[in-house]
Amino acid sequence: MRSAPHLHLRESADPGLAAVASLPGVGPALEATLARLGILRIQDLWFHLPLRYEDRTRITAIRDLRAADSVQVEGTVEAVEQGFRFRPQLRVVITDDARSMLTLRFFSFRRTQVQQLAPGTRLRCYGQVRYGAHGFEMVHPQYQRVLADGSGVDECLTPVYPTTEGLGQKRLAVLIAKALLQLPPAAQLEQIPAPLLEPLRLQSLRDALLQVHRPAADADVAALLQGIHPSQRRLAFEELLAHHLGMKRLRARIRSHRAPGLAGTGEAQRDLLAALPFKLTGAQQRVAREIARDMSRSEPMLRLVHGDVGSGKTVVAALAALVAIESGFQVALMAPTELLAEQHLRNFRDWFAPLGIEPVWLAGKVQGKARQAAMTALQGPAQLVIGTHALMQDAVAFRKLGLVIIDEQHRFGVHQRLALRDKGADAELVPHQLVLTATPIPRTLAMTAYADLDVSRIDELPPGRSPVTTVAISTARRAEVVDRIRAACGEGRQAYWVCTLIEDSEQLEAQAAETTHAELERTLQGISIGLIHGRMKPAEKQKVMQQFQSGAISVLVATTVIEVGVDVPNASLMIMENAERLGLAQLHQLRGRVGRGSLASSCVLLYQPPLSAMARERLNALRETNDGFEIAEKDLKLRGPGELLGTRQTGRLEFRIANLTRDAAMLAEVQDVAGTMLRKHAGACDRLIARWVGNSARFADA
């Protein structure tokens, strides 16, 4: 197998920049496998850091085991049983000194293995604990035989690395060990200038790398397992610094373009505000002023507006659109789904029709003459276009694009956002960008991952919104929940029943929703029940949504397709099935579909026991608060930044060792060091970004 052309790297005097193929034993096939992990050079192996450690230094008593924990136990084999009824299976029962019992289960095993696990054999096992038919068990644990004198086992803290298909942990660890032999002296490895590093009292980068890859026998095991060891803190600081520098460079690069200065007369804005049946909150007025100030400048606006569900981001975006339109420029609003885009279309038509502005609609389902008419309008009189990914197609051209509004931006890939931004008619000018998200972003996340954007926060809900009462109920009480729906519908109110599945399968989710719909139709006779899922045609989904919004349907059974963009003030009851399977932010998004009017509203989290510790914490957090910003901070602690950010750069932004919650205290120092380095040490900035961000930096111009 020949290696891919992009893997051939120029040799360098810096050992870290040498191609990974220069290591003994790395041929073309392994080189290509490593490339899938972003490992192209020797230094990529140095900075391919452990995800976690397996603690082989202590033994957990079997009676203290908890489901989902990964632990090490020691015990004596009491019984061995082979079964072949459905498929080969080996069950080994061990007991520890307290006579507590644990089952080891193997589905793939050899005859010699069975002989090694004879009754009376002492074993030390490491694996994840789960509930089984006969109590706690481990499936395919790693194990070692303990000799009579207690020898035969290794006590260590074993790094577990991110890997890929065709590359096991042991082989990867061997490669990293070879690469570490080429670490240069400490002074040569550092990229942060000594005068900036010394006041921080951090250890050398070289010592930190050696410690995290090969923890010493006397290392602070507890600190390493918690991610707070001095070596981990040293690496986390540098990683946060590299990402921050990358974002600041990106911001400067985009700001170097020119954009049209948009001001308008303000007349259309005043007419819209006068016609609205509500008054803007103080937060909405503040954010609208920030956007208007940005758009009046000749450098591109890059502003992210985030706020809780129902905080009124759309009307703020409408005010921004009017500024551009009054200035003679066009506006494009892009949403990730047709359902959400169509909701924007209805809102903007209602608001803009009295102003003589008719939005153009462009989505995938717009074909034939209607599509051609839309395309012609964009190069002619159209002032506002609303649509989905269809707006980014090559054939779509604008007469004079001045403002791009992107809703729920984390659902779009970088190239998609670039494609729309680059449709500005004048090659010398780029349009202003306004990004909206209904996922409140924690402050620590805004300081790092969104350092390329100005961030506005709508932190005030409109008056009249009712708080949602949230309860968690076991599926064993499902009948009570159905009775609750019957009572709500009897009072003239409406309800959602949301079906979720842990598998990432639209087909399985659709089947679950169809089954629930049929069950509720049998149980709730006389009540109109609708169904909506991702496998339905757009026209079918739209028809059902219109019936639900008009009140013709009382109960809507849906998948998470209704997470954003559905506004039915009369819906006051939300049932979420299998709630333990969803992340906290998504649970909060779904809950935001109710409580949109003055009716007292409720959310029922139906869960399948037993709950894991993480699921219990998520559900408790949702019960305790309706504040999306509090929930976002909690979600960041529970899940890390990856899922909150969504697709960014060339994939999900996953830090290798930094943790934005745990390491938040470092951010002020990170910003200070970054500012000095950008002013005085440009070359070191480049090398730091390449070391930690790598090739993804070139895709970040969005």
Side-chain angles (χ1 to χ4, degrees):
M1 176 181 174
R2 297 179 59 189
S3 59
H6 72 278
L7 299 183
H8 293 305
L9 302 171
R10 184 173 54 84
E11 293 301 320
S12 167
D14 182 343
L17 298 182
V20 73
S22 64
L23 283 177
V26 179
L30 181 53
E31 184 185 13
T33 301
L34 290 168
R36 293 205 300 269
L37 291 169
I39 298 172
L40 306 178
R41 304 177 186 270
I42 298 291
Q43 75 172 13
D44 297 332
L45 284 168
W46 298 342
F47 292 93
H48 193 72
L49 302 174
L51 286 168
R52 62 183 187 279
Y53 295 92
E54 293 178 347
D55 185 6
R56 310 291 177 86
T57 65
R58 61 178 177 174
I59 296 170
T60 302
I62 292 175
R63 66 169 176 263
D64 295 332
L65 297 182
R66 296 181 306 177
D69 283 356
S70 293
V71 295
Q72 182 169 249
V73 298
E74 189 171 308
T76 303
V77 176
E78 294 289 334
V80 181
E81 176 184 280
Q82 292 185 67
F84 296 91
R85 186 174 176 188
F86 299 109
R87 60 171 169 166
Q89 184 177 149
L90 176 66
R91 290 177 63 244
V92 179
V93 177
I94 65 170
T95 57
D96 62 9
D97 296 339
R99 303 302 297 168
S100 299
M101 185 179 75
L102 174 70
T103 301
L104 314 179
R105 194 182 296 276
F106 302 88
F107 297 106
S108 175
F109 55 92
R110 301 178 305 278
R111 182 177 300 175
T112 53
Q113 192 174 352
V114 179
Q115 294 167 351
Q116 291 173 352
L117 297 173
T121 305
R122 188 80 174 169
L123 297 178
R124 186 170 292 185
C125 311
Y126 184 90
Q128 187 176 55
V129 180
R130 73 174 197 181
Y131 288 109
H134 305 287
F136 283 128
E137 66 180 24
M138 287 182 178
V139 176
H140 280 281
Q142 301 171 40
Y143 65 88
Q144 303 172 78
R145 297 168 70 192
V146 183
L147 303 181
D149 60 0
S151 65
V153 295
D154 298 320
E155 292 190 352
C156 60
L157 208 58
T158 305
V160 178
Y161 295 100
T163 189
T164 186
E165 186 178 355
L167 184 63
Q169 287 290 332
K170 287 185 178 179
R171 193 176 190 192
L172 184 54
V174 168
L175 288 171
I176 290 171
K178 289 179 180 178
L180 289 172
L181 294 174
Q182 300 191 31
L183 270 178
Q188 186 180 335
L189 190 62
E190 297 288 0
Q191 295 299 339
I192 305 174
L196 297 178
L197 195 57
E198 285 165 5
L200 302 176
R201 298 186 178 181
L202 296 171
Q203 67 179 197
S204 77
L205 182 61
R206 191 178 197 280
D207 288 345
L209 284 170
L210 290 171
Q211 182 68 269
V212 297
H213 284 297
R214 298 191 303 220
D218 59 350
D220 186 338
V221 173
L224 281 166
L225 292 173
Q226 292 174 54
I228 58 174
H229 190 279
S231 299
Q232 292 164 315
R233 289 182 59 77
R234 169 66 180 88
L235 292 166
F237 180 87
E238 184 162 313
E239 182 174 28
L240 289 171
L241 177 61
H243 277 280
H244 191 74
L245 288 169
M247 288 292 136
K248 288 296 186 184
R249 279 279 175 84
L250 163 61
R251 180 190 180 93
R253 190 160 62 248
I254 297 177
R255 294 284 195 204
S256 68
H257 296 292
R258 287 182 60 247
L262 308 176
T265 65
E267 183 179 346
Q269 285 189 324
R270 288 191 291 273
D271 289 346
L272 172 62
L273 292 173
L276 290 174
F278 54 84
K279 186 181 178 187
L280 296 192
T281 64
Q284 287 173 307
Q285 294 175 38
R286 167 174 47 78
V287 172
R289 286 194 299 271
E290 292 169 349
I291 293 169
R293 185 178 65 241
D294 285 356
M295 292 173 63
S296 68
R297 296 171 178 158
S298 59
E299 62 180 29
M301 172 175 71
L302 297 167
R303 187 164 290 277
L304 170 70
V305 174
H306 68 127
D308 215 338
V309 176
S311 60
K313 294 174 294 299
T314 309
V315 73
V316 169
L319 292 170
L322 289 175
V323 171
I325 291 169
E326 277 196 331
S327 303
F329 283 81
Q330 294 173 297
V331 178
L333 190 161
M334 182 171 70
T337 65
E338 289 196 356
L339 203 61
L340 181 53
E342 284 173 338
Q343 172 125 340
H344 283 312
L345 182 67
R346 286 193 298 275
N347 283 334
F348 276 79
R349 273 181 176 158
D350 291 344
W351 292 337
F352 284 14
L355 306 176
I357 300 169
E358 176 60 30
V360 171
W361 170 240
L362 188 59
K365 68 180 180 184
V366 179
Q367 297 294 330
K369 291 182 179 179
R371 184 176 188 81
Q372 189 54 51
M375 305 273 272
T376 302
L378 290 183
Q379 296 183 55
Q383 296 168 295
L384 168 66
V385 59
I386 296 174
T388 57
H389 303 74
L391 291 177
M392 296 171 290
Q393 293 174 353
D394 291 340
V396 178
F398 291 83
R399 168 179 50 82
K400 198 176 183 183
L401 183 60
L403 173 65
V404 170
I405 303 171
I406 299 175
D407 199 8
E408 296 302 329
Q409 63 87 29
H410 62 280
R411 299 190 178 205
F412 292 102
V414 169
H415 294 294
Q416 294 171 319
R417 299 201 296 275
L418 274 175
L420 188 53
R421 189 202 68 181
D422 290 345
K423 288 182 180 293
D426 188 338
E428 297 298 317
L429 296 177
V430 299
H432 296 281
Q433 293 182 65
L434 178 62
V435 171
L436 311 175
T437 179
T439 303
I441 298 164
R443 187 183 64 88
T444 49
L445 204 55
M447 290 170 69
T448 49
Y450 290 103
D452 58 320
L453 295 167
D454 294 309
V455 178
S456 291
R457 174 171 169 163
I458 302 182
D459 50 7
E460 183 181 353
L461 285 176
R465 290 292 301 265
S466 60
V468 180
T469 303
T470 304
V471 295
I473 295 177
S474 163
T475 51
R477 296 169 58 191
R478 188 184 181 95
E480 295 176 35
V481 176
V482 174
D483 288 340
R484 193 165 176 172
I485 291 179
R486 185 182 289 109
C489 293
E491 295 171 2
R493 293 183 286 143
Q494 291 169 276
Y496 295 94
W497 188 297
V498 181
C499 301
T500 65
L501 284 177
I502 197 164
E503 295 90 350
D504 186 16
S505 166
E506 208 173 59
Q507 181 177 353
L508 291 174
E509 275 206 341
Q511 290 171 355
E514 287 168 351
T515 301
T516 301
H517 178 255
E519 174 200 331
L520 291 178
E521 280 198 320
R522 287 193 302 271
T523 312
L524 298 172
Q525 292 186 10
I527 294 175
S528 176
I529 301 172
L531 171 66
I532 187 169
H533 56 71
R535 291 176 67 82
M536 292 167 62
K537 293 179 179 177
E540 294 175 315
K541 286 190 285 189
Q542 187 58 38
K543 181 180 178 182
V544 173
M545 283 312 310
Q546 287 172 347
Q547 290 175 327
F548 188 56
Q549 287 170 316
S550 70
I553 289 175
S554 298
V555 179
L556 181 63
V557 177
T559 60
T560 51
V561 71
I562 58 105
E563 181 183 341
V564 291
V566 184
D567 191 357
V568 183
N570 190 49
S572 61
L573 178 59
M574 162 73 70
I575 315 297
M576 279 187 254
E577 197 161 9
N578 299 316
E580 75 278 6
R581 294 174 174 175
L582 295 182
L584 191 48
Q586 191 176 23
L587 288 167
H588 180 62
Q589 284 279 317
L590 287 164
R591 179 173 63 176
R593 297 303 105 214
V594 294
R596 301 182 76 82
S598 57
L599 292 171
S601 299
S602 302
C603 176
V604 177
L605 307 173
L606 268 181
Y607 67 87
Q608 185 74 45
L611 284 175
S612 68
M614 172 84 76
R616 185 177 292 107
E617 201 166 349
R618 277 201 302 266
L619 299 189
N620 284 341
L622 210 66
R623 287 167 48 207
E624 290 165 3
T625 182
N626 281 283
D627 187 323
F629 289 94
E630 277 186 41
I631 283 170
E633 294 284 357
K634 184 74 173 177
D635 205 25
L636 182 62
K637 290 178 183 176
L638 291 175
R639 290 195 297 167
E643 288 183 76
L644 289 179
L645 286 170
T647 303
R648 190 168 176 82
Q649 296 177 2
T650 54
R652 292 192 181 279
L653 175 61
E654 296 285 6
F655 289 103
R656 304 182 203 183
I657 197 163
N659 178 297
L660 289 178
T661 303
R662 184 191 65 217
D663 302 324
M666 293 184 183
L667 291 174
E669 291 172 333
V670 164
Q671 290 176 322
D672 288 345
V673 172
T676 304
M677 288 188 67
L678 285 167
R679 289 193 305 273
K680 299 181 178 180
H681 306 281
C685 292
D686 291 338
R687 291 188 290 274
L688 263 181
I689 294 168
R691 172 183 285 174
W692 287 97
V693 183
N695 290 339
S696 60
R698 63 192 171 93
F699 293 113
D701 188 12

